Every structure is written in C-alpha cells, then in structure tokens.
Amino acid sequence: METIGFIGLGIMGAPMAGHLLDAGYKVIASAHRSKPPADLVGKGLKTVTGHAAVAKAADIVILMVPDTPQVADVLFGDNGVASGLTKGKLVIDMSSISPIETKVFARKINDLGCDYLDAPVSGGEVGAKAASLTIMVGGEDNAFERARPVFEKMGKNITLVGPNGVGQTTKVANQIVVALTIEAVAEALVFASKAGADPAKVRQALMGGLAASRILEVHGERMVKRTFAPGFRIELHQKDLNLALEGAKALGVSLPNTSTTQQLFNSCAANGGAKEDHSALVRALERMANFEVGGTAAEAKGKAA
C-alpha cells in the first residue's frame, strides 16, 4: 500500500485521514501549525515537520485546506510540497478552490514529473465521518485509477469528470445547487412556521413528496432544532459562490439566484454568523420576516399575531 501524506486535518480532513488509517494505509501529516488530533495519533498517524517533509516521505500527497491561497502556499510556499516531490509521485487536492488556478497548479506539478488530481468533495462533515463523500475528480485516467483505492476509503460516488480543473468546476456547480436548495428550504420553513404550522411536522410531511431532498432532511432539521454548529461554515460557502460568480462573469453567464443567495450569506456574515453552519442562512430570512422558525404551531400563531 502506498504511503499517504495528508495536509489539512480539520473538520473534513481529520475523519478522511482516519478512514485511511483504518484501512491500513501509513499516513503522514505535517506538524506545521498545530498538533494532529489525538485519536489519529492513536491510530498510527505519523508527523513530520513541514510540508516538504510530507512530500518526501509519501507516495501520494492529499491536501484538504480552506481556499485557493492556502493551496498555493502549501504547494509552492517556503518548504512547500513541491520542494519535496520527486518524479512519479501523485498530488491530490481535495479542497474546493478556483478551477482556473487549479489548472496552473497542475501544470507546475506536472512539470516536476508528478501527477495531479483536483478532487473536491461533497457531503460535509457527516459524509466525511461516514466515508460516504461524493468525490468529483479532474485529471488523467492513469492518475485517477491509481488514486481510486484511496478515494474508495473516503467516499462512495467517485467520478472522473474530465481533465484538471473540471473537478473544481463540478464542485462549484454542486455548491450552487446546495446553496439554492438551502435557501428554498429556509423560505419554505419560515413561510410555514409564520403561517402557524409546526415546522417540524411540515418538514416531515415534505420528506414524503417531490420536495424531499438530503438538504431538507439534514439542514431542514438544523433549522427547526436551531443547531447551527458548523458542518460546513457560511464563510466557506461564500467563498464557493464567489468562485461561481467570478466564473459566470468570465463566461458571460447570468446566475441571478446564486447572486441573491450570496447576499443572504453576506447578511448572515455581517451579523456575526460567518462561522455558523450554512443552514443558518435561514437567519437572514428570519430577520426580514421578523420571525424565527421553531417551536410549536400554537407558539408560532402567537408570535405571528
């Protein structure tokens, strides 16, 4: 089994690396800024100092960091991954970043004699913990086949969608769908709740019809129960929608509902909610309605009155 270097052991990265350890892979992380999670160390995670050292020790290097500048720094900054690579190694960026910059990063890594895959994921913290992530991959066929056994330990729906950059483009499209569906669920629950209906029962009823979705199931429940601890932070979804809107401008494409939803995220961030789960988008609609989802139908009628 190939040795895996894993950089970015956060909300998503830690459980992903844990699945690789559970599968018997030797996993090496960088002690770059903070100590790795104790549970991963207990499973056998090894640490080295600096990203270059991770690249030197590993056959495959996986990145799972927040945004394009962080990927650039990890790869090409001082003591970065690129300085530790040797011919034949594979770099996999599982972050969600700019498709345009991804193509630049891939060319630079290819020039070192190494393969590069952009492989962003969908499924959030729940999917990362359950090893059920959707993985959208951009790159060459041979690199994808090499990485497939690794991907299969972290996800279920794994698709090579095209060359480098297309994986990230697919993730941006995914984030448009997710954001707009969260917004639709939030509108529906605010409307129904202020009209006097019990939002929990409304959600339960909708789960049996055409409106059913994973977002109604998971994020609708968060809205009703007011559980906004982050699985995926609003500030990260803002970043993804920025990529969508910047790409749309370059392509001459209009994304009117994406733009509106970004404004709702901006409202949440302006009111201190940038680090809340993206289901907390409902708070922006609640402020406009002067009404909060939750509680019983009787309580909702009283508030509406």
Side-chain angles (χ1 to χ4, degrees):
M1 300 178 77
E2 296 189 280
T3 298
I4 310 295
F6 207 109
I7 298 171
L9 298 175
I11 289 174
M12 298 287 290
M16 292 164 68
H19 294 311
L20 296 176
L21 288 163
D22 291 339
Y25 283 98
K26 181 179 180 181
V27 181
I28 298 171
S30 170
H32 179 62
R33 291 186 176 177
S34 59
K35 293 182 179 180
D39 63 322
L40 296 186
V41 174
K43 291 181 177 184
L45 180 74
K46 306 299 181 184
T47 57
V48 294
T49 302
H51 302 322
V54 172
K56 289 177 182 177
D59 303 303
I60 298 174
V61 180
I62 295 175
L63 281 64
M64 190 61 176
V65 298
D67 202 350
T68 308
Q70 287 78 31
V71 173
D73 182 61
V74 168
L75 290 176
F76 307 112
D78 293 340
N79 201 31
V81 166
S83 63
L85 291 174
T86 51
K87 188 175 181 179
K89 296 195 175 187
L90 170 61
V91 175
I92 306 174
D93 178 27
M94 303 189 77
S95 318
S96 296
I97 69 166
S98 164
I100 295 171
E101 291 303 309
T102 290
K103 295 176 184 178
V104 175
F105 299 160
R107 285 195 295 269
K108 289 182 177 180
I109 297 300
N110 292 159
D111 288 344
L112 298 174
C114 300
D115 288 318
Y116 189 95
L117 295 173
D118 49 293
V121 304
S122 179
E125 183 182 11
V126 172
K129 288 182 175 179
S132 62
L133 293 168
T134 291
I135 305 176
M136 309 154 233
V137 188
E140 297 298 324
D141 289 352
N142 59 344
F144 175 71
E145 291 304 326
R146 178 180 177 183
R148 186 193 291 273
V150 177
F151 290 147
E152 288 174 345
K153 301 302 182 292
M154 299 181 286
K156 298 296 184 185
N157 182 21
I158 303 160
T159 307
L160 178 64
V161 289
N164 285 129
V166 177
Q168 294 294 351
T169 297
T170 305
K171 177 58 188 288
V172 172
N174 177 86
Q175 294 304 81
I176 293 172
V177 173
V178 170
L180 270 59
T181 308
I182 289 174
E183 197 278 339
V185 169
E187 279 197 19
L189 293 181
V190 169
F191 166 78
S193 187
K194 191 164 186 179
D198 183 335
K201 291 183 178 178
V202 170
R203 172 185 162 275
Q204 182 180 352
L206 295 179
M207 283 300 298
L210 191 59
S213 70
R214 182 68 172 155
I215 287 171
L216 178 62
E217 177 187 356
V218 175
H219 295 308
E221 183 177 45
R222 282 177 173 268
M223 294 173 195
V224 171
K225 293 185 176 180
R226 321 304 294 172
T227 53
F228 297 128
F232 188 76
R233 300 192 302 276
I234 281 175
E235 61 187 356
L236 293 179
H237 214 140
Q238 286 180 290
K239 175 260 297 182
D240 291 339
L241 294 192
N242 278 338
L243 293 174
L245 294 169
E246 289 167 2
K249 182 178 180 180
L251 293 168
V253 173
S254 178
L255 302 178
N257 293 324
T258 301
S259 181
T260 299
T261 303
Q262 180 73 311
Q263 292 303 320
L264 294 172
F265 278 138
N266 291 347
S267 172
C268 291
N271 282 274
K275 297 190 181 301
E276 289 187 315
D277 186 78
H278 52 173
S279 58
L281 176 145
V282 71
R283 293 192 191 274
L285 296 169
E286 289 171 340
R287 280 189 290 271
M288 289 189 285
N290 193 28
F291 185 82
E292 183 178 290
V293 170
T296 66
E299 289 170 341
K301 287 178 181 178
K303 290 177 182 178

